[in-house]
PDB file of all heavy atoms in Angstrom:
ATOM      1  N   PHE A 232     124.717  95.310 179.698  1.00 97.00           N
ATOM      2  CA  PHE A 232     125.387  95.696 178.455  1.00 97.00           C
ATOM      3  C   PHE A 232     124.765  94.982 177.257  1.00 97.00           C
ATOM      4  O   PHE A 232     124.513  95.591 176.217  1.00 97.00           O
ATOM      5  CB  PHE A 232     126.886  95.380 178.547  1.00 97.00           C
ATOM      6  CG  PHE A 232     127.657  95.716 177.325  1.00 97.00           C
ATOM      7  CD1 PHE A 232     127.950  97.037 177.012  1.00 97.00           C
ATOM      8  CD2 PHE A 232     128.094  94.720 176.460  1.00 97.00           C
ATOM      9  CE1 PHE A 232     128.662  97.360 175.865  1.00 97.00           C
ATOM     10  CE2 PHE A 232     128.810  95.031 175.322  1.00 97.00           C
ATOM     11  CZ  PHE A 232     129.093  96.352 175.023  1.00 97.00           C
ATOM     12  N   GLN A 233     124.493  93.696 177.411  1.00 97.00           N
ATOM     13  CA  GLN A 233     123.864  92.939 176.321  1.00 97.00           C
ATOM     14  C   GLN A 233     122.477  93.492 176.001  1.00 97.00           C
ATOM     15  O   GLN A 233     122.103  93.588 174.831  1.00 97.00           O
ATOM     16  CB  GLN A 233     123.773  91.452 176.691  1.00 97.00           C
ATOM     17  CG  GLN A 233     125.108  90.744 176.655  1.00 97.00           C
ATOM     18  CD  GLN A 233     125.013  89.304 177.140  1.00 97.00           C
ATOM     19  OE1 GLN A 233     124.183  88.964 177.983  1.00 97.00           O
ATOM     20  NE2 GLN A 233     125.890  88.458 176.629  1.00 97.00           N
ATOM     21  N   ASP A 234     121.716  93.838 177.033  1.00 97.00           N
ATOM     22  CA  ASP A 234     120.392  94.424 176.812  1.00 97.00           C
ATOM     23  C   ASP A 234     120.501  95.752 176.066  1.00 97.00           C
ATOM     24  O   ASP A 234     119.730  96.020 175.139  1.00 97.00           O
ATOM     25  CB  ASP A 234     119.656  94.639 178.137  1.00 97.00           C
ATOM     26  CG  ASP A 234     119.236  93.335 178.806  1.00 97.00           C
ATOM     27  OD1 ASP A 234     119.225  92.292 178.117  1.00 97.00           O
ATOM     28  OD2 ASP A 234     118.924  93.370 180.009  1.00 97.00           O
ATOM     29  N   ALA A 235     121.460  96.566 176.481  1.00 97.00           N
ATOM     30  CA  ALA A 235     121.661  97.857 175.806  1.00 97.00           C
ATOM     31  C   ALA A 235     122.071  97.648 174.356  1.00 97.00           C
ATOM     32  O   ALA A 235     121.606  98.368 173.455  1.00 97.00           O
ATOM     33  CB  ALA A 235     122.711  98.681 176.546  1.00 97.00           C
ATOM     34  N   MET A 236     122.927  96.683 174.109  1.00 97.00           N
ATOM     35  CA  MET A 236     123.349  96.392 172.736  1.00 97.00           C
ATOM     36  C   MET A 236     122.166  95.916 171.896  1.00 97.00           C
ATOM     37  O   MET A 236     122.034  96.293 170.727  1.00 97.00           O
ATOM     38  CB  MET A 236     124.465  95.336 172.724  1.00 97.00           C
ATOM     39  CG  MET A 236     125.785  95.825 173.267  1.00 97.00           C
ATOM     40  SD  MET A 236     126.511  97.131 172.272  1.00 97.00           S
ATOM     41  CE  MET A 236     126.890  96.234 170.793  1.00 97.00           C
ATOM     42  N   ALA A 237     121.311  95.099 172.473  1.00 97.00           N
ATOM     43  CA  ALA A 237     120.140  94.604 171.744  1.00 97.00           C
ATOM     44  C   ALA A 237     119.202  95.765 171.406  1.00 97.00           C
ATOM     45  O   ALA A 237     118.677  95.833 170.288  1.00 97.00           O
ATOM     46  CB  ALA A 237     119.410  93.545 172.576  1.00 97.00           C
ATOM     47  N   ARG A 238     118.993  96.679 172.374  1.00 96.00           N
ATOM     48  CA  ARG A 238     118.144  97.840 172.093  1.00 96.00           C
ATOM     49  C   ARG A 238     118.766  98.715 171.004  1.00 96.00           C
ATOM     50  O   ARG A 238     118.067  99.194 170.108  1.00 96.00           O
ATOM     51  CB  ARG A 238     117.921  98.654 173.374  1.00 96.00           C
ATOM     52  CG  ARG A 238     116.923  98.033 174.321  1.00 96.00           C
ATOM     53  CD  ARG A 238     116.541  98.987 175.438  1.00 96.00           C
ATOM     54  NE  ARG A 238     117.667  99.468 176.216  1.00 96.00           N
ATOM     55  CZ  ARG A 238     118.208  98.841 177.243  1.00 96.00           C
ATOM     56  NH1 ARG A 238     117.721  97.674 177.614  1.00 96.00           N
ATOM     57  NH2 ARG A 238     119.223  99.360 177.904  1.00 96.00           N
ATOM     58  N   SER A 239     120.075  98.915 171.084  1.00 97.00           N
ATOM     59  CA  SER A 239     120.759  99.712 170.064  1.00 97.00           C
ATOM     60  C   SER A 239     120.628  99.061 168.700  1.00 97.00           C
ATOM     61  O   SER A 239     120.406  99.745 167.694  1.00 97.00           O
ATOM     62  CB  SER A 239     122.239  99.877 170.414  1.00 97.00           C
ATOM     63  OG  SER A 239     122.402 100.645 171.571  1.00 97.00           O
ATOM     64  N   ARG A 240     120.754  97.754 168.670  1.00 97.00           N
ATOM     65  CA  ARG A 240     120.639  97.028 167.402  1.00 97.00           C
ATOM     66  C   ARG A 240     119.234  97.200 166.827  1.00 97.00           C
ATOM     67  O   ARG A 240     119.072  97.394 165.614  1.00 97.00           O
ATOM     68  CB  ARG A 240     120.961  95.548 167.617  1.00 97.00           C
ATOM     69  CG  ARG A 240     120.866  94.693 166.384  1.00 97.00           C
ATOM     70  CD  ARG A 240     121.857  95.143 165.352  1.00 97.00           C
ATOM     71  NE  ARG A 240     121.576  94.494 164.094  1.00 97.00           N
ATOM     72  CZ  ARG A 240     122.366  94.516 163.074  1.00 97.00           C
ATOM     73  NH1 ARG A 240     123.512  95.139 163.145  1.00 97.00           N
ATOM     74  NH2 ARG A 240     122.043  93.918 161.967  1.00 97.00           N
ATOM     75  N   GLN A 241     118.215  97.145 167.677  1.00 97.00           N
ATOM     76  CA  GLN A 241     116.841  97.338 167.216  1.00 97.00           C
ATOM     77  C   GLN A 241     116.660  98.751 166.664  1.00 97.00           C
ATOM     78  O   GLN A 241     115.999  98.946 165.630  1.00 97.00           O
ATOM     79  CB  GLN A 241     115.863  97.083 168.348  1.00 97.00           C
ATOM     80  CG  GLN A 241     115.748  95.625 168.736  1.00 97.00           C
ATOM     81  CD  GLN A 241     114.906  95.412 169.972  1.00 97.00           C
ATOM     82  OE1 GLN A 241     114.583  96.349 170.699  1.00 97.00           O
ATOM     83  NE2 GLN A 241     114.536  94.156 170.229  1.00 97.00           N
ATOM     84  N   GLU A 242     117.250  99.728 167.343  1.00 97.00           N
ATOM     85  CA  GLU A 242     117.156 101.104 166.856  1.00 97.00           C
ATOM     86  C   GLU A 242     117.841 101.243 165.505  1.00 97.00           C
ATOM     87  O   GLU A 242     117.304 101.886 164.593  1.00 97.00           O
ATOM     88  CB  GLU A 242     117.793 102.061 167.860  1.00 97.00           C
ATOM     89  CG  GLU A 242     117.002 102.243 169.123  1.00 97.00           C
ATOM     90  CD  GLU A 242     117.722 103.129 170.129  1.00 97.00           C
ATOM     91  OE1 GLU A 242     118.594 103.932 169.720  1.00 97.00           O
ATOM     92  OE2 GLU A 242     117.407 103.018 171.324  1.00 97.00           O
ATOM     93  N   VAL A 243     119.023 100.654 165.371  1.00 97.00           N
ATOM     94  CA  VAL A 243     119.752 100.723 164.098  1.00 97.00           C
ATOM     95  C   VAL A 243     118.953 100.028 163.002  1.00 97.00           C
ATOM     96  O   VAL A 243     118.851 100.539 161.883  1.00 97.00           O
ATOM     97  CB  VAL A 243     121.159 100.100 164.242  1.00 97.00           C
ATOM     98  CG1 VAL A 243     121.812  99.874 162.887  1.00 97.00           C
ATOM     99  CG2 VAL A 243     122.044 100.978 165.118  1.00 97.00           C
ATOM    100  N   ASP A 244     118.385  98.868 163.313  1.00 97.00           N
ATOM    101  CA  ASP A 244     117.584  98.148 162.321  1.00 97.00           C
ATOM    102  C   ASP A 244     116.386  98.996 161.871  1.00 97.00           C
ATOM    103  O   ASP A 244     116.067  99.047 160.683  1.00 97.00           O
ATOM    104  CB  ASP A 244     117.095  96.810 162.887  1.00 97.00           C
ATOM    105  CG  ASP A 244     118.210  95.779 163.006  1.00 97.00           C
ATOM    106  OD1 ASP A 244     119.305  96.002 162.440  1.00 97.00           O
ATOM    107  OD2 ASP A 244     117.978  94.749 163.679  1.00 97.00           O
ATOM    108  N   GLY A 245     115.736  99.665 162.830  1.00 96.00           N
ATOM    109  CA  GLY A 245     114.598 100.518 162.484  1.00 96.00           C
ATOM    110  C   GLY A 245     115.018 101.687 161.608  1.00 96.00           C
ATOM    111  O   GLY A 245     114.349 102.017 160.625  1.00 96.00           O
ATOM    112  N   LYS A 246     116.131 102.320 161.963  1.00 97.00           N
ATOM    113  CA  LYS A 246     116.622 103.450 161.168  1.00 97.00           C
ATOM    114  C   LYS A 246     117.078 102.992 159.787  1.00 97.00           C
ATOM    115  O   LYS A 246     116.866 103.693 158.797  1.00 97.00           O
ATOM    116  CB  LYS A 246     117.755 104.158 161.910  1.00 97.00           C
ATOM    117  CG  LYS A 246     117.258 104.905 163.123  1.00 97.00           C
ATOM    118  CD  LYS A 246     118.381 105.545 163.903  1.00 97.00           C
ATOM    119  CE  LYS A 246     117.817 106.252 165.139  1.00 97.00           C
ATOM    120  NZ  LYS A 246     118.874 106.875 165.933  1.00 97.00           N
ATOM    121  N   MET A 247     117.692 101.823 159.718  1.00 97.00           N
ATOM    122  CA  MET A 247     118.135 101.295 158.428  1.00 97.00           C
ATOM    123  C   MET A 247     116.931 100.998 157.545  1.00 97.00           C
ATOM    124  O   MET A 247     116.946 101.299 156.345  1.00 97.00           O
ATOM    125  CB  MET A 247     118.961 100.022 158.632  1.00 97.00           C
ATOM    126  CG  MET A 247     119.562  99.484 157.356  1.00 97.00           C
ATOM    127  SD  MET A 247     120.745 100.614 156.612  1.00 97.00           S
ATOM    128  CE  MET A 247     122.187 100.144 157.480  1.00 97.00           C
ATOM    129  N   SER A 248     115.891 100.446 158.124  1.00 97.00           N
ATOM    130  CA  SER A 248     114.670 100.162 157.360  1.00 97.00           C
ATOM    131  C   SER A 248     114.061 101.462 156.822  1.00 97.00           C
ATOM    132  O   SER A 248     113.657 101.525 155.655  1.00 97.00           O
ATOM    133  CB  SER A 248     113.672  99.431 158.249  1.00 97.00           C
ATOM    134  OG  SER A 248     112.488  99.175 157.557  1.00 97.00           O
ATOM    135  N   ALA A 249     114.017 102.492 157.676  1.00 97.00           N
ATOM    136  CA  ALA A 249     113.479 103.790 157.239  1.00 97.00           C
ATOM    137  C   ALA A 249     114.346 104.377 156.129  1.00 97.00           C
ATOM    138  O   ALA A 249     113.830 104.925 155.151  1.00 97.00           O
ATOM    139  CB  ALA A 249     113.400 104.751 158.416  1.00 97.00           C
ATOM    140  N   LEU A 250     115.649 104.242 156.259  1.00 97.00           N
ATOM    141  CA  LEU A 250     116.562 104.756 155.236  1.00 97.00           C
ATOM    142  C   LEU A 250     116.379 104.010 153.914  1.00 97.00           C
ATOM    143  O   LEU A 250     116.361 104.634 152.845  1.00 97.00           O
ATOM    144  CB  LEU A 250     118.010 104.637 155.716  1.00 97.00           C
ATOM    145  CG  LEU A 250     119.085 105.189 154.795  1.00 97.00           C
ATOM    146  CD1 LEU A 250     118.864 106.671 154.541  1.00 97.00           C
ATOM    147  CD2 LEU A 250     120.465 104.952 155.393  1.00 97.00           C
ATOM    148  N   ILE A 251     116.196 102.728 153.975  1.00 97.00           N
ATOM    149  CA  ILE A 251     115.965 101.936 152.758  1.00 97.00           C
ATOM    150  C   ILE A 251     114.680 102.397 152.081  1.00 97.00           C
ATOM    151  O   ILE A 251     114.630 102.544 150.850  1.00 97.00           O
ATOM    152  CB  ILE A 251     115.940 100.429 153.094  1.00 97.00           C
ATOM    153  CG1 ILE A 251     117.352  99.957 153.438  1.00 97.00           C
ATOM    154  CG2 ILE A 251     115.351  99.622 151.942  1.00 97.00           C
ATOM    155  CD1 ILE A 251     117.418  98.564 154.017  1.00 97.00           C
ATOM    156  N   ASP A 252     113.638 102.642 152.871  1.00 97.00           N
ATOM    157  CA  ASP A 252     112.376 103.134 152.315  1.00 97.00           C
ATOM    158  C   ASP A 252     112.563 104.491 151.640  1.00 97.00           C
ATOM    159  O   ASP A 252     112.031 104.736 150.549  1.00 97.00           O
ATOM    160  CB  ASP A 252     111.306 103.234 153.398  1.00 97.00           C
ATOM    161  CG  ASP A 252     110.857 101.888 153.924  1.00 97.00           C
ATOM    162  OD1 ASP A 252     111.122 100.863 153.248  1.00 97.00           O
ATOM    163  OD2 ASP A 252     110.242 101.852 155.012  1.00 97.00           O
ATOM    164  N   ILE A 253     113.318 105.374 152.282  1.00 97.00           N
ATOM    165  CA  ILE A 253     113.571 106.708 151.718  1.00 97.00           C
ATOM    166  C   ILE A 253     114.348 106.599 150.409  1.00 97.00           C
ATOM    167  O   ILE A 253     114.013 107.263 149.418  1.00 97.00           O
ATOM    168  CB  ILE A 253     114.323 107.592 152.738  1.00 97.00           C
ATOM    169  CG1 ILE A 253     113.394 107.938 153.891  1.00 97.00           C
ATOM    170  CG2 ILE A 253     114.876 108.845 152.089  1.00 97.00           C
ATOM    171  CD1 ILE A 253     114.103 108.576 155.085  1.00 97.00           C
ATOM    172  N   VAL A 254     115.369 105.748 150.391  1.00 97.00           N
ATOM    173  CA  VAL A 254     116.170 105.574 149.175  1.00 97.00           C
ATOM    174  C   VAL A 254     115.317 104.986 148.054  1.00 97.00           C
ATOM    175  O   VAL A 254     115.409 105.409 146.893  1.00 97.00           O
ATOM    176  CB  VAL A 254     117.412 104.704 149.455  1.00 97.00           C
ATOM    177  CG1 VAL A 254     118.107 104.282 148.180  1.00 97.00           C
ATOM    178  CG2 VAL A 254     118.383 105.448 150.370  1.00 97.00           C
ATOM    179  N   ALA A 255     114.449 104.033 148.396  1.00 97.00           N
ATOM    180  CA  ALA A 255     113.571 103.444 147.383  1.00 97.00           C
ATOM    181  C   ALA A 255     112.628 104.503 146.821  1.00 97.00           C
ATOM    182  O   ALA A 255     112.425 104.579 145.595  1.00 97.00           O
ATOM    183  CB  ALA A 255     112.776 102.291 147.981  1.00 97.00           C
ATOM    184  N   HIS A 256     112.060 105.331 147.693  1.00 97.00           N
ATOM    185  CA  HIS A 256     111.168 106.404 147.239  1.00 97.00           C
ATOM    186  C   HIS A 256     111.923 107.405 146.366  1.00 97.00           C
ATOM    187  O   HIS A 256     111.429 107.828 145.309  1.00 97.00           O
ATOM    188  CB  HIS A 256     110.536 107.106 148.444  1.00 97.00           C
ATOM    189  CG  HIS A 256     109.624 108.216 148.068  1.00 97.00           C
ATOM    190  ND1 HIS A 256     108.405 107.998 147.464  1.00 97.00           N
ATOM    191  CD2 HIS A 256     109.745 109.556 148.203  1.00 97.00           C
ATOM    192  CE1 HIS A 256     107.825 109.163 147.243  1.00 97.00           C
ATOM    193  NE2 HIS A 256     108.624 110.132 147.682  1.00 97.00           N
ATOM    194  N   LEU A 257     113.118 107.760 146.794  1.00 97.00           N
ATOM    195  CA  LEU A 257     113.944 108.692 146.019  1.00 97.00           C
ATOM    196  C   LEU A 257     114.294 108.100 144.659  1.00 97.00           C
ATOM    197  O   LEU A 257     114.238 108.777 143.631  1.00 97.00           O
ATOM    198  CB  LEU A 257     115.218 109.037 146.797  1.00 97.00           C
ATOM    199  CG  LEU A 257     116.176 110.018 146.135  1.00 97.00           C
ATOM    200  CD1 LEU A 257     115.485 111.354 145.885  1.00 97.00           C
ATOM    201  CD2 LEU A 257     117.406 110.212 147.010  1.00 97.00           C
ATOM    202  N   SER A 258     114.604 106.830 144.638  1.00 97.00           N
ATOM    203  CA  SER A 258     114.934 106.155 143.383  1.00 97.00           C
ATOM    204  C   SER A 258     113.737 106.180 142.429  1.00 97.00           C
ATOM    205  O   SER A 258     113.888 106.443 141.227  1.00 97.00           O
ATOM    206  CB  SER A 258     115.360 104.715 143.670  1.00 97.00           C
ATOM    207  OG  SER A 258     115.607 104.023 142.476  1.00 97.00           O
ATOM    208  N   GLU A 259     112.556 105.917 142.954  1.00 97.00           N
ATOM    209  CA  GLU A 259     111.346 105.961 142.119  1.00 97.00           C
ATOM    210  C   GLU A 259     111.106 107.368 141.588  1.00 97.00           C
ATOM    211  O   GLU A 259     110.740 107.545 140.416  1.00 97.00           O
ATOM    212  CB  GLU A 259     110.137 105.505 142.929  1.00 97.00           C
ATOM    213  CG  GLU A 259     110.141 104.031 143.272  1.00 97.00           C
ATOM    214  CD  GLU A 259     109.035 103.661 144.262  1.00 97.00           C
ATOM    215  OE1 GLU A 259     108.207 104.543 144.623  1.00 97.00           O
ATOM    216  OE2 GLU A 259     109.019 102.500 144.695  1.00 97.00           O
ATOM    217  N   THR A 260     111.332 108.362 142.449  1.00 96.00           N
ATOM    218  CA  THR A 260     111.140 109.756 142.038  1.00 96.00           C
ATOM    219  C   THR A 260     112.113 110.123 140.925  1.00 96.00           C
ATOM    220  O   THR A 260     111.722 110.735 139.914  1.00 96.00           O
ATOM    221  CB  THR A 260     111.319 110.699 143.246  1.00 96.00           C
ATOM    222  OG1 THR A 260     110.380 110.332 144.262  1.00 96.00           O
ATOM    223  CG2 THR A 260     111.111 112.146 142.851  1.00 96.00           C
ATOM    224  N   VAL A 261     113.362 109.758 141.080  1.00 96.00           N
ATOM    225  CA  VAL A 261     114.381 110.050 140.062  1.00 96.00           C
ATOM    226  C   VAL A 261     114.038 109.317 138.775  1.00 96.00           C
ATOM    227  O   VAL A 261     114.140 109.882 137.673  1.00 96.00           O
ATOM    228  CB  VAL A 261     115.787 109.670 140.564  1.00 96.00           C
ATOM    229  CG1 VAL A 261     116.805 109.691 139.431  1.00 96.00           C
ATOM    230  CG2 VAL A 261     116.218 110.595 141.698  1.00 96.00           C
ATOM    231  N   GLU A 262     113.598 108.076 138.891  1.00 95.00           N
ATOM    232  CA  GLU A 262     113.240 107.292 137.707  1.00 95.00           C
ATOM    233  C   GLU A 262     112.072 107.935 136.955  1.00 95.00           C
ATOM    234  O   GLU A 262     112.108 108.053 135.723  1.00 95.00           O
ATOM    235  CB  GLU A 262     112.874 105.866 138.127  1.00 95.00           C
ATOM    236  CG  GLU A 262     112.712 104.912 136.970  1.00 95.00           C
ATOM    237  CD  GLU A 262     112.503 103.493 137.466  1.00 95.00           C
ATOM    238  OE1 GLU A 262     113.262 103.048 138.356  1.00 95.00           O
ATOM    239  OE2 GLU A 262     111.572 102.848 136.952  1.00 95.00           O
ATOM    240  N   ARG A 263     111.062 108.396 137.682  1.00 94.00           N
ATOM    241  CA  ARG A 263     109.933 109.082 137.039  1.00 94.00           C
ATOM    242  C   ARG A 263     110.386 110.377 136.374  1.00 94.00           C
ATOM    243  O   ARG A 263     109.971 110.701 135.267  1.00 94.00           O
ATOM    244  CB  ARG A 263     108.831 109.381 138.064  1.00 94.00           C
ATOM    245  CG  ARG A 263     107.966 108.196 138.400  1.00 94.00           C
ATOM    246  CD  ARG A 263     106.685 108.600 139.133  1.00 94.00           C
ATOM    247  NE  ARG A 263     106.902 109.556 140.215  1.00 94.00           N
ATOM    248  CZ  ARG A 263     107.051 109.238 141.507  1.00 94.00           C
ATOM    249  NH1 ARG A 263     107.006 107.983 141.874  1.00 94.00           N
ATOM    250  NH2 ARG A 263     107.233 110.175 142.401  1.00 94.00           N
ATOM    251  N   PHE A 264     111.251 111.106 137.047  1.00 93.00           N
ATOM    252  CA  PHE A 264     111.761 112.358 136.489  1.00 93.00           C
ATOM    253  C   PHE A 264     112.528 112.112 135.192  1.00 93.00           C
ATOM    254  O   PHE A 264     112.304 112.792 134.177  1.00 93.00           O
ATOM    255  CB  PHE A 264     112.663 113.066 137.519  1.00 93.00           C
ATOM    256  CG  PHE A 264     113.364 114.264 136.974  1.00 93.00           C
ATOM    257  CD1 PHE A 264     112.673 115.458 136.761  1.00 93.00           C
ATOM    258  CD2 PHE A 264     114.718 114.217 136.649  1.00 93.00           C
ATOM    259  CE1 PHE A 264     113.327 116.566 136.245  1.00 93.00           C
ATOM    260  CE2 PHE A 264     115.366 115.312 136.136  1.00 93.00           C
ATOM    261  CZ  PHE A 264     114.680 116.487 135.935  1.00 93.00           C
ATOM    262  N   LEU A 265     113.425 111.121 135.235  1.00 93.00           N
ATOM    263  CA  LEU A 265     114.215 110.828 134.034  1.00 93.00           C
ATOM    264  C   LEU A 265     113.325 110.313 132.907  1.00 93.00           C
ATOM    265  O   LEU A 265     113.532 110.646 131.740  1.00 93.00           O
ATOM    266  CB  LEU A 265     115.319 109.821 134.355  1.00 93.00           C
ATOM    267  CG  LEU A 265     116.428 110.323 135.284  1.00 93.00           C
ATOM    268  CD1 LEU A 265     117.388 109.184 135.622  1.00 93.00           C
ATOM    269  CD2 LEU A 265     117.168 111.491 134.660  1.00 93.00           C
TER     270      LEU A 265
END
């Protein structure tokens, strides 16, 4: 169970990092547009 939780946490961390990158890119795009 602990191993599965650690893997899940790594997956969530990876997805969160990708989401942060997407939001940053979107923010830059909106800023350029405005």
Side-chain angles (χ1 to χ4, degrees):
F232 179 74
Q233 287 175 330
D234 290 343
M236 290 296 293
R238 284 191 303 275
S239 294
R240 180 62 191 191
Q241 289 173 347
E242 289 176 23
V243 167
D244 287 347
K246 290 177 182 179
M247 185 63 86
S248 179
L250 183 59
I251 289 170
D252 292 343
I253 290 169
V254 169
H256 180 70
L257 181 60
S258 177
E259 291 171 4
T260 302
V261 168
E262 190 174 313
R263 281 194 314 264
F264 173 75
L265 293 175

